[in-house]
Amino acid sequence: MPETPASRWLPSAEVRRWWDARQASLEQACRHAELSVIPQLTLQTGGGRGNTTLYRLDFLPLPAIDDTSDDRLYPESRTATSGLVEYQVEPAKAAWWLRPILGKQPFRMRSWRGYLLVGATILEALALLLLWFVAFVTMRGSRPLSAGDLSYLLTAAALSYLWVQAMRPLIRLPADRVTIANDILLAYDQFHGQFKLVRDAKSKLAGGWFQLVRHHASCSICSGDVEIADGGEAFPGRLIGRCSDSPLEHAFSFDPVTLRGRSLYPDFSPDPHGQVPLVP
Ligand SMILES: [Zn+2]
């Protein structure tokens, strides 16, 4: 049976879109690693029998920040009028007790750090289950509950509640990919941070790269710091960027892949419907 050509299951337009969406993250990663080059995907479009499409990775010099167009020199000038923000990513510091596991660099979930993180979380959950199991075994039957039993149950309930609240960002991570790290999981001098899980294509539940980072941007309305927050009642189920100077009014969408966001309130968008094209 002839092999299915790659162009069938991997259309070049899709490859191009995947690559372009990650361009901003890629450039930032190269700059953080202090590289002088950036990989660029070059496409030689084929067509017809025996003329296949070819992909090539070129390594081009990273444009210096101060020798290109005004957009690079003054990114705010472009975003200020458009209601757009461009997020920057930087490493964030974990709480002291989590630091030995997380380290400073992103790590694969299928590494000793990843296994330790998952293992510790499962162990904690098992310890809590054990607490409830002991309660069930000792308190079943028809005897009345004593004051000691009640305080045991209350302690178990409080511990379970606190654990779920504290670990929620890590528990939700496989599904949400980006979650907000709470104060218990962050260093005392780190005010904002997000856990990020970048999946690799072949892995299922526990695969991918884990990192603790801080996404932030400059507010396109007032130049305040935009930090990632829960969307709350106004934007349920979403993470959004909120300006520290006007958190209720200056709110932006947050896309962890393209690292772009647009104003969530139509007043601040040039288009009355709030539909701002992400790429001008
Ligand atoms: Zn603002």
Side-chain angles (χ1 to χ4, degrees):
M1 210 178 107
E3 215 177 295
T4 319
S7 54
R8 284 270 179 79
W9 51 267
L10 194 65
S12 57
E14 219 161 280
V15 176
R16 172 60 59 197
R17 188 163 54 238
W18 187 95
W19 184 267
D20 288 348
R22 285 152 182 85
Q23 200 60 40
S25 323
L26 185 65
E27 186 175 330
Q28 280 187 35
C30 290
R31 286 193 195 284
H32 276 139
E34 295 179 2
L35 298 180
S36 56
V37 291
I38 180 171
Q40 181 184 286
L41 184 71
T42 306
L43 192 74
Q44 284 177 358
T45 323
R49 186 179 284 269
N51 190 11
T52 48
T53 300
L54 291 176
Y55 295 101
R56 194 178 66 228
L57 276 182
D58 292 329
F59 289 89
L60 303 182
L62 251 182
I65 289 178
D66 57 359
D67 73 351
T68 48
S69 66
D70 276 3
D71 278 0
R72 279 186 187 281
L73 263 179
Y74 306 107
E76 296 85 3
S77 64
R78 179 158 59 95
T79 53
T81 47
S82 59
L84 301 178
V85 290
E86 289 174 4
Y87 292 97
Q88 303 289 315
V89 191
E90 61 181 35
K93 231 162 87 184
W96 61 268
W97 58 272
L98 204 53
R99 240 173 280 164
I101 302 183
L102 299 192
K104 287 180 181 164
Q105 299 288 333
F107 59 85
R108 287 186 90 91
M109 287 306 287
R110 291 177 196 278
S111 67
W112 69 267
R113 290 185 189 280
Y115 291 131
L116 203 60
L117 185 65
V118 174
T121 311
I122 291 176
L123 268 185
E124 287 164 17
L126 284 179
L128 283 174
L129 274 180
L130 188 68
L131 217 60
W132 286 104
F133 181 71
V134 169
F136 173 74
V137 169
T138 55
M139 294 174 206
R140 71 181 168 162
S142 53
R143 73 178 173 87
L145 286 180
S146 67
D149 291 343
L150 270 181
S151 68
Y152 183 94
L153 285 176
L154 279 177
T155 311
L159 278 178
S160 307
Y161 175 78
L162 285 177
W163 183 80
V164 170
Q165 290 302 318
M167 302 302 279
R168 189 190 292 268
L170 292 175
I171 298 169
R172 295 284 319 161
L173 193 59
D176 293 355
R177 307 289 184 94
V178 179
T179 56
I180 295 179
N182 52 35
D183 286 343
I184 303 169
L185 303 173
L186 281 179
Y188 70 95
D189 57 349
Q190 180 80 48
F191 297 112
H192 301 276
Q194 296 87 41
F195 294 114
K196 198 169 179 180
L197 186 68
V198 180
R199 290 239 178 120
D200 34 31
K202 283 186 181 157
S203 63
K204 275 179 82 181
L205 197 64
W209 286 83
F210 180 97
Q211 35 184 323
L212 174 57
V213 289
R214 172 185 166 225
H215 293 87
H216 61 103
S218 171
C219 175
S220 62
I221 301 155
C222 74
S223 291
D225 282 335
V226 174
E227 300 286 352
I228 306 304
D230 191 89
E233 282 178 23
F235 306 101
R238 292 177 74 175
L239 295 185
I240 62 166
R242 284 196 189 279
C243 171
S244 332
D245 294 337
S246 180
L248 298 184
E249 287 301 319
H250 302 174
F252 302 88
S253 61
F254 167 60
D255 185 329
V257 175
T258 61
L259 296 179
R260 294 198 183 102
R262 59 175 169 76
S263 175
L264 288 171
Y265 292 112
D267 286 1
F268 295 117
S269 304
D271 179 330
H273 304 294
Q275 297 293 318
V276 185
L278 284 178
V279 181

